[in-house]
Amino acid sequence: MARRKQIYEGKAKILFEGPEPGTIIQYFKDDATAFNNQKHAVLEGKGVLNNRISEYIMMGLERIGVTTHFIRRLNMREQLVRHVEIVPIEVVMRNIAAGSISKRLGLEDGAVLPRSIIEFYYKDDKLGDPLVSEEHITAFNWANPQEIDDMMAISLRINDFLSGLFAGVGIKLVDFKVEFGRQYEGDMMRLIVADEISPDSCRLWDMESGDIMDKDRFRKDLGDVTDAYREVARRLGVLRESENPGQSGPVLVSDNGD
Ligand code: TMP
Ligand code: ASP
């Protein structure tokens, strides 16, 4: 078989041309970066876990009527997704103060925000993904006002869905980041959820112990990063306890390749 054509390599994923027009294969690497690539490590098994967790979440979103780029998982590290034009904005939804908002506004980590807050960051690694306002987004034509409204409305629905999903397994959804893509069908365009939703892009705290179960374990050198991701996957039910894929702890359920 001819080698697949690589379209793009990011910090945690590689995109390859898909088997049919309009599709892409999204490959999840084990690489973790933080602080705009200043910190880097390879965390064995992370890509496999994020592939599964993101699949599970995207399928859940589809069930509540939120369209995503996800088509199907291909194997341990790859999923088939719809080809979209990525909107160069990261939408961050926050329920509890942590990370950059705590620093910027002098809030105490863990403080419940007066209401869920949406922020926009301009996707540009050279600039370190700066916080921007709707004014910047429309003035520079990164997205139009209707798209901003759509991204906000969809993000609120994702927040409701994810908050409930995680609360059901004893996890607090502190915040998360989501990306959107434009999908063109004839002369119609719609915004759909793209990229991934995983412990790399969410803050997740254990409801009882307050333990951190997301990429902050890596950012803050807390250790046991993949163990925490594995526990998230286990609680969501995408892992079976009994098997062992070369590492201690539970393994992935019903993989079909790789
Ligand atoms: P922040 O507090 O560092 O701004 O992060 C807010 C949320 O967005 C947090 O869940 C982590 C996620 N995030 C990403 O997914 N990618 C990024 O590049 C950054 C900075 C944050
Ligand atoms: N993803 C970003 C980076 O690789 C930042 C972060 O998640 O902390 O630098």
Side-chain angles (χ1 to χ4, degrees):
M1 203 175 89
R3 196 156 162 68
R4 288 175 313 193
K5 190 168 161 217
Q6 184 174 314
I7 299 173
Y8 174 79
E9 176 156 9
K11 287 178 281 203
K13 293 187 292 297
I14 306 174
L15 303 181
F16 297 97
E17 241 172 31
E20 303 123 40
T23 64
I24 278 188
I25 294 169
Q26 182 166 258
Y27 175 98
F28 288 76
K29 302 194 285 187
D30 282 342
D31 297 60
T33 67
F35 314 118
N36 203 18
N37 238 349
Q38 289 177 48
K39 186 172 170 148
H40 174 260
V42 176
L43 305 172
E44 198 185 326
K46 177 178 81 86
V48 175
L49 290 160
N50 280 355
N51 186 22
R52 291 301 295 262
I53 294 169
S54 197
E55 168 194 23
Y56 181 79
I57 291 174
M58 296 285 180
M59 283 173 56
L61 288 174
E62 295 279 350
R63 271 198 298 278
I64 62 157
V66 172
T67 309
T68 78
H69 72 162
F70 181 81
I71 301 172
R72 67 175 177 277
R73 188 168 56 82
L74 297 171
N75 54 50
M76 294 273 274
R77 290 186 180 273
E78 294 177 331
Q79 44 184 248
L80 188 68
V81 301
R82 284 177 239 283
H83 185 101
V84 292
E85 174 189 288
I86 291 285
V87 177
I89 298 295
E90 297 192 347
V91 180
V92 169
M93 173 73 69
R94 301 181 187 272
N95 300 309
I96 293 167
S100 69
I101 196 172
S102 300
K103 229 193 229 163
R104 189 179 311 114
L105 303 181
L107 305 175
E108 201 171 316
D109 271 7
V112 177
L113 296 169
R115 60 178 168 81
S116 299
I117 294 175
I118 300 181
E119 295 173 339
F120 303 108
Y121 293 83
Y122 177 49
K123 267 170 73 72
D124 187 318
D125 281 345
K126 285 197 298 296
L127 303 175
D129 297 350
L131 178 71
V132 293
S133 71
E134 294 183 42
E135 274 290 289
H136 299 107
I137 296 172
T138 51
F140 293 109
N141 224 3
W142 296 324
N144 66 37
Q146 180 63 54
E147 290 175 328
I148 295 175
D149 283 354
D150 289 350
M151 290 194 291
M152 291 174 75
I154 298 169
S155 300
L156 282 165
R157 292 194 65 201
I158 297 173
N159 193 35
D160 281 347
F161 171 74
L162 281 186
S163 296
L165 181 77
F166 283 119
V169 296
I171 295 174
K172 226 190 290 189
L173 178 66
V174 173
D175 57 35
F176 66 91
K177 183 265 299 185
V178 68
E179 295 187 27
F180 293 88
R182 299 184 181 97
Q183 190 192 15
Y184 296 94
E185 275 172 351
D187 49 9
M188 291 286 288
M189 189 281 288
R190 62 174 176 170
L191 276 188
I192 66 178
V193 176
D195 194 52
E196 72 182 288
I197 300 180
S198 73
D200 268 9
S201 58
C202 301
R203 282 198 175 89
L204 305 169
W205 295 354
D206 183 84
M207 273 182 173
E208 270 177 17
S209 64
D211 281 355
I212 292 172
M213 306 176 74
D214 58 71
K215 199 167 115 178
D216 269 352
R217 296 204 73 84
F218 171 68
R219 296 190 190 94
K220 299 179 174 192
D221 292 320
L222 299 175
D224 300 329
V225 185
T226 46
D227 287 345
Y229 285 35
R230 198 175 292 117
E231 175 62 12
V232 171
R234 191 193 65 78
R235 289 200 200 174
L236 292 175
V238 305
L239 291 187
R240 205 187 301 144
E241 312 251 357
S242 55
E243 294 167 77
N244 190 334
Q247 277 201 330
S248 57
V251 275
L252 302 169
V253 182
S254 68
D255 283 301
N256 52 9
D258 211 76

